[in-house]
Amino acid sequence: MAKRDPEKTARNKIDKQMSATLKQMLPAVLAATGFDSEYSLHGKIGGKFADYIDIRDAVIHSQEHFISLWLQGYKKKLESGSGFGNAYETYDLLCQHQVFKDYLFLFLRRTYLRNYDALSKIRPTISEAEIWIGQQNANYGLLITPRYVNGEWENDKSEIRHFKPKYWSIGHVLETGLLIPDKNEKIEFNSVEEYLKFFKYVIVRNSGSKYEMEIAELYSDYVTNSPNQLEIPLLIPEYRYDGLQKQHKYRLDFTIIESKDLNKIGFELSPWSSHGYLKKIKGLTQKVINEMASDNFEKEMKKHKDYFKRHGIFIMIYTDSDLSNTDTLFEDMKQYLIPSNIGSQLQFHIFEDFFK
């Protein structure tokens, strides 16, 4: 049996507490305001937040933030005169009756809680909503709301905020599939197991790195044994620096994009044999060898700096001593694979339940 989601459990608990308090306050609010029913009262204040808040682009971090934005939008509505009569009628009642004001604020807090996932969800920019992975002639696109237009894949920008799975998660790739460049074709996966097989034996295996294969196996086991598989961030293999450009500069071995804040963490496996070893040095002076080694190091560092400047990816580098134990290396990765999107108030209630 799947474990209960502590975030949703805490959220439902708070919702019930708020609803009970609103029910207790309702008779006094109706008597003070003259509304004849809960239905007519909520018709006046409920469902209006989309009129007062730019919910398409706003990322709302807390109940207080939501109320603040609602009040700002409400004030603009009053000042503009648009729908002035209805808005001012409610404003007049709020000024007269503290119980109505308290009811409204609690109602807004509950509204935010019920729409928490959509309202608090950080959305990627248009440029960040499209990534390409894999080696030349074996590359695939991972978009958020993909559609094929005029021979190219693009995102349906208006639908990005409505995307239900967590961005760049296992659920994401099961929803969209992996896209074939320049063709109206995609590779779709009917299960987590199907995707993990493709991840290991097609994308990662093609790299030829035994270390990458070991990490891929550890990740697959981690996902398989997780109670919330769909919410786990993707371990993105072979992130392409130049996207679809055929002569691209670099690829990163693995990348994780955290679902909550969309932070990007790259993992570069740098064994000496492929990243530092100098060939054909027989007969060269120490000075020339040092210059070659320095040039090799500079190229490697430029790759990491360029990725950070262009894509905002912080890169963790693992050399031979780290690669001797990929289990330990994967422990570093795991801290970025734990789905986390719990607000402070929800955390408090989960913490409270822990000691009961």
Side-chain angles (χ1 to χ4, degrees):
M1 186 175 71
K3 295 181 180 179
R4 67 174 186 170
D5 184 334
E7 178 181 351
K8 290 181 180 177
T9 300
R11 193 185 306 168
N12 290 337
K13 178 180 177 181
I14 299 170
D15 188 318
K16 288 180 180 179
Q17 292 171 348
M18 289 180 170
S19 296
T21 303
L22 288 170
K23 189 172 183 178
Q24 292 174 354
M25 297 173 67
L26 182 62
V29 173
L30 294 179
T33 60
F35 289 108
D36 57 10
S37 68
E38 181 183 36
Y39 179 81
S40 60
L41 172 64
H42 289 182
K44 182 66 69 173
I45 62 175
K48 295 291 185 182
F49 71 90
D51 295 339
Y52 301 147
I53 301 173
D54 178 14
I55 59 171
R56 189 186 72 169
D57 297 318
V59 178
I60 306 175
H61 302 287
S62 67
Q63 295 169 331
E64 287 67 30
H65 187 196
F66 179 74
I67 292 172
S68 175
L69 292 175
W70 190 93
L71 291 173
Q72 290 176 37
Y74 183 60
K75 180 181 178 183
K76 287 181 180 178
K77 182 119 178 156
L78 286 172
E79 292 173 345
S80 70
S82 175
F84 180 78
N86 290 333
Y88 188 79
E89 179 184 343
T90 306
Y91 175 72
D92 190 42
L93 289 171
L94 288 169
C95 290
Q96 294 181 50
H97 307 289
Q98 182 65 41
V99 67
F100 183 32
K101 187 186 298 182
D102 294 341
Y103 188 94
L104 171 65
F105 285 179
L106 184 58
F107 181 88
L108 291 175
R109 285 190 170 89
R110 189 182 69 170
T111 299
Y112 175 76
L113 194 69
R114 289 181 171 181
N115 295 276
Y116 178 78
D117 285 332
L119 294 175
S120 65
K121 194 175 187 179
I122 296 176
R123 294 172 285 280
T125 64
I126 299 304
S127 62
E128 291 175 329
E130 175 179 338
I131 65 176
W132 292 86
I133 64 175
Q135 301 189 13
Q136 190 61 42
N137 299 321
N139 52 337
Y140 309 94
L142 184 61
L143 279 65
I144 294 176
T145 51
R147 61 183 181 186
Y148 195 71
V149 179
N150 298 325
E152 294 182 352
W153 287 103
E154 67 175 23
N155 277 297
D156 182 348
K157 303 177 185 64
S158 64
E159 293 299 317
I160 288 177
R161 71 175 300 272
H162 299 296
F163 189 67
K164 291 184 178 179
K166 290 183 180 293
Y167 300 126
W168 318 119
S169 65
I170 293 287
H172 178 149
V173 75
L174 262 60
E175 179 79 13
T176 64
L178 292 175
L179 313 175
I180 307 299
D182 304 319
K183 292 185 182 295
N184 189 13
E185 298 283 349
K186 63 173 69 172
I187 299 174
E188 297 183 286
F189 308 100
N190 295 315
S191 67
V192 174
E193 182 183 20
E194 276 190 22
Y195 169 70
L196 291 175
K197 284 183 177 180
F198 187 86
F199 163 75
K200 287 190 295 184
Y201 301 125
V202 177
I203 306 178
V204 176
R205 183 171 177 268
N206 199 36
S207 73
S209 167
K210 72 169 187 174
Y211 303 113
E212 290 183 38
M213 278 302 298
E214 288 175 11
I215 293 295
E217 289 285 358
L218 290 167
Y219 174 75
S220 296
D221 290 344
Y222 176 80
V223 173
T224 300
N225 295 316
S226 173
N228 52 352
Q229 294 178 336
L230 299 184
E231 295 191 356
I232 293 175
L234 290 167
L235 185 59
I236 301 169
E238 306 292 338
Y239 190 116
R240 292 169 66 93
Y241 178 84
D242 280 326
L244 269 178
Q245 294 292 323
K246 291 186 177 180
Q247 298 300 322
H248 62 281
K249 280 185 180 181
Y250 318 117
R251 291 190 310 272
L252 268 180
D253 293 328
F254 292 111
T255 307
I256 295 172
I257 304 177
E258 293 180 297
S259 298
K260 181 176 183 292
D261 297 318
L262 301 185
N263 295 321
K264 299 173 187 162
I265 305 94
F267 299 88
E268 187 74 353
L269 313 185
S270 301
W272 175 256
S273 59
S274 59
H275 289 69
Y277 184 72
L278 300 177
K279 300 177 182 178
K280 299 179 180 179
I281 61 173
K282 186 176 180 180
L284 299 180
T285 65
Q286 188 63 48
K287 179 180 178 182
V288 173
I289 293 172
N290 290 341
E291 288 174 351
M292 291 172 62
S294 176
D295 184 56
N296 211 4
F297 178 79
E298 289 294 334
K299 287 179 180 177
E300 195 69 15
M301 290 304 102
K302 186 177 189 309
K303 170 182 178 177
H304 303 146
K305 288 187 286 186
D306 284 357
Y307 257 113
F308 186 79
K309 290 177 182 177
R310 178 159 174 174
H311 296 285
I313 300 177
F314 174 78
I315 298 175
M316 301 178 71
I317 305 168
Y318 296 87
T319 56
D320 290 86
S321 59
D322 305 303
L323 296 172
S324 64
N325 188 338
T326 49
D327 288 312
T328 301
L329 191 161
F330 187 68
E331 287 299 315
D332 286 350
M333 292 181 165
K334 277 170 62 175
Q335 65 181 304
Y336 303 104
L337 293 173
I338 301 171
S340 175
N341 196 28
I342 303 176
S344 57
Q345 186 172 1
L346 295 178
Q347 287 177 331
F348 172 78
H349 280 266
I350 293 170
F351 183 77
E352 186 180 45
D353 283 345
F354 179 80
F355 287 103
K356 286 187 176 179

